[in-house]
Amino acid sequence: MSTSASGRGAVGTVPPPHGGHDEPAPIKAVKLRHPWRNVFAVVLVLILVLFVLDAAQRPAYDWPTVAKYLFDRRVSQAALVTLELTALSMLFAIIIGVILAIMRLSPNPVVKSVAWFYLWIFRGTPVYVQLVFWGLIAIIYQTIDVGIPFTEPWVSFDTADLIPVFWIAVIGLSLNEAAYMAEIVRAGLLSVDAGQDEAATALGMSWSQTMRRVILPQAMRVIIPPTGNEVISMLKTTSLVTAVPLTTELYSRTRDISAETFNPIPLLIVASIWYLFFTSVLMVGQYFLEKRFARGIGDRPDAGPGPIVGTPATGVLPAVVQDPTIGAKQGGDAR
């Protein structure tokens, strides 16, 4: 059927896409300029370069002494003790923290109150003060008695001989850290929707199966980041065990060496380099752990529906013009 003189399309024809107009020219995006941001970055780089050059020439840092003691046997052994303190303290802190978190979520008011009281004590007092108390445990409790209370003990042990100083430091650090781990674990468990627990119960799972297969895998993405931060914080907190007193860890050992050489600044740099090395390794491990437990979380760019084929991705559906003769024919057939 031909087109009328007015230029109107014949009945039943579909108008060309975009209303018959040519496609618009692509937009040329002009990147915004931030001159002051570039100036600030240059100033920061200059300050950093000036600081490095000044530190390299300043005699007080005594870089030859730093190089001499950086891999000294006494320092490396003390670094190993620091790692042992960190690993053991965090292991016991996580175990106790999980127990305390479950107690905090218990419907039993007595159990919940005991857990709250523990957190109130250990979060409300400085860790250094707690370590001093643990260092005096042999004075407070001179013996450890085994037997029936208020009767003659069956066996009695001298506290100073039974518990070495290293394990007193581990106990003090882990009990303090457990109070913080309890809140981290509790926050992770509360982040999982309650419907997950109900669905697992409806499927016939036991409490342990629900926690292991449903709750914990989802809560780990909330628990892992702050736990990694606590591990790094624990590594640095080990420098406070001199209050116990334990003098075989990294900071105390470098301090003792500096007391012999009367040159504390290079030994402080040595300890800082070791701490920075350990924290850098822990940060890399934390990154991969977070990436591992965050799988499937977040937006997927390929998951959403794409634009309709043959139409521009404007978010507006194309107009559809129906031939009126089709409806008339269908109406006549229906009659």
Side-chain angles (χ1 to χ4, degrees):
M1 187 176 296
S2 60
T3 307
S4 61
S6 61
R8 183 184 304 172
V11 177
T13 60
V14 180
H18 310 296
H21 300 287
D22 296 335
E23 293 186 2
I27 299 176
K28 295 182 179 180
V30 180
K31 187 177 181 180
L32 294 178
R33 300 182 183 276
H34 301 281
W36 290 111
R37 183 185 301 176
N38 298 331
V39 172
F40 183 68
V42 171
V43 171
L44 287 180
V45 172
L46 289 177
I47 292 175
L48 178 61
V49 171
L50 291 175
F51 174 78
V52 172
L53 293 177
D54 178 76
Q57 301 174 0
R58 192 165 292 274
Y61 290 118
D62 197 358
W63 296 108
T65 303
V66 173
K68 176 182 177 181
Y69 287 101
L70 183 60
F71 298 104
D72 186 88
R73 183 176 181 180
R74 293 171 294 178
V75 175
S76 59
Q77 290 178 347
L80 180 61
V81 173
T82 297
L83 287 180
E84 292 175 351
L85 280 172
T86 303
L88 292 173
S89 300
M90 284 304 304
L91 175 63
F92 294 130
I94 291 174
I95 295 174
I96 300 173
V98 170
I99 296 174
L100 290 171
I102 295 174
M103 292 173 64
R104 284 292 307 274
L105 298 175
S106 173
N108 191 320
V110 176
V111 175
K112 184 183 298 185
S113 300
V114 170
W116 180 88
F117 182 77
Y118 180 97
L119 268 61
W120 177 65
I121 291 293
F122 283 92
R123 293 176 65 190
T125 54
V127 61
Y128 190 85
V129 175
Q130 297 175 27
L131 291 173
V132 171
F133 266 104
W134 283 106
L136 300 174
I137 191 68
I139 298 177
I140 301 174
Y141 302 97
Q142 299 180 0
T143 59
I144 298 177
D145 302 328
V146 178
I148 301 175
F150 308 108
T151 62
E152 190 69 21
W154 301 339
V155 183
S156 182
F157 300 97
D158 191 356
T159 304
D161 297 333
L162 184 63
I163 308 177
V165 178
F166 176 84
W167 287 104
I168 291 179
V170 170
I171 293 172
L173 291 174
S174 58
L175 291 180
N176 175 266
E177 184 61 33
Y180 297 93
M181 286 303 306
E183 291 299 282
I184 292 174
V185 174
R186 186 173 72 94
L189 296 178
L190 291 177
S191 67
V192 182
D193 191 83
Q196 301 286 326
D197 190 9
E198 297 173 357
T201 304
L203 292 175
M205 290 186 180
S206 62
W207 180 85
S208 60
Q209 290 176 331
T210 302
M211 292 296 295
R212 188 175 64 255
R213 299 181 181 180
V214 179
I215 304 298
L216 284 180
Q218 300 181 64
M220 288 301 289
R221 62 185 178 88
V222 178
I223 296 175
I224 287 294
T227 302
N229 295 335
E230 290 299 317
V231 174
I232 295 174
S233 177
M234 174 62 71
L235 177 70
K236 296 178 291 185
T237 307
T238 55
S239 61
L240 299 179
V241 296
T242 182
V244 172
L246 178 66
T247 59
T248 56
E249 49 82 33
L250 181 59
Y251 170 71
S252 298
R253 181 60 70 192
T254 54
R255 186 190 58 185
D256 294 342
I257 296 175
S258 66
E260 298 174 1
T261 61
F262 300 100
N263 195 8
I265 296 177
L267 274 302
L268 287 174
I269 296 176
V270 169
S272 300
I273 292 174
W274 277 99
Y275 283 122
L276 285 172
F277 171 72
F278 289 147
T279 52
S280 300
V281 174
L282 290 174
M283 289 172 65
V284 172
Q286 178 184 358
Y287 167 78
F288 284 104
L289 273 178
E290 292 180 8
K291 188 176 180 181
R292 168 67 174 80
F293 285 99
R295 292 184 305 176
I297 303 300
D299 295 331
R300 294 178 53 190
D302 58 341
I308 301 176
V309 178
T311 60
T314 58
V316 181
L317 294 177
V320 178
V321 181
Q322 185 179 0
D323 191 346
T325 59
I326 298 177
K329 292 179 180 179
Q330 292 178 350
D333 295 340
R335 288 194 298 270

